[in-house]
Amino acid sequence: MEGLSVADANLVMYLHPSKSRNVSQSILRELGSLLFKFNETFDGVLLAYDVNILDKQAKILSGVHPYFGLRLKANLLLFSPKPDMLLEGKVVKLSQESIHVIVLGFSSAIITAENIRGEFKYRTKDKEELFASKSHKRHVIKVGTMIRFLVKR
């Protein structure tokens, strides 16, 4: 699937002196707090990481709070969909105006009525909502269906 990328990053992590007792755990906790959130620095959502501490000596920063900085090398798995990328997701909700999709189990997307292909018409069959193709009788979109779609924005 498009939108997934692996990046090698050289990072500097700034930690409070109270975290100096267990530095590796503090680094993992800080990186863990970035998981599944959009980050402008990475231009995407951090899904996974593998980190190596480059420095064994930390540099103390002067200022009001004496944080110390550590250089890290990390491999990052990022999810950053761009326009015209092809993604796939599972349909979780349908309405006459939209199709709601979950991508990679955490990110939601909405396909509005003007972006649904003209061959699909909204129907209710046995109290089940679905979009059915006019040209292919067995081609239907309903809750639970995996679909591929193009990112507009």
Side-chain angles (χ1 to χ4, degrees), residues 1 15 25 28 38 41 47 54 57 60 66 71 80-82 84 87 93 99 106 109 117-118 136 145-146 148 150:
M1 175 175 24
L15 299 174
Q25 181 184 10
L28 294 177
F38 181 81
T41 305
L47 299 179
L54 296 177
Q57 298 290 323
I60 297 175
R71 289 186 356 188
S80 54
K82 304 283 188 244
D84 298 325
L87 298 180
K93 182 181 175 187
I99 299 173
F106 78 93
R117 287 196 322 226
H136 301 287
T145 305
M146 291 295 287
R148 286 195 182 124
L150 199 62

Side-chain angles (χ1 to χ4, degrees), residues 40-56:
E40 287 184 20
T41 305
F42 303 140
D43 191 29
V45 177
L46 180 63
L47 299 179
Y49 58 85
D50 181 32
V51 66
N52 294 319
I53 301 171
L54 296 177
D55 288 337
K56 297 299 179 193

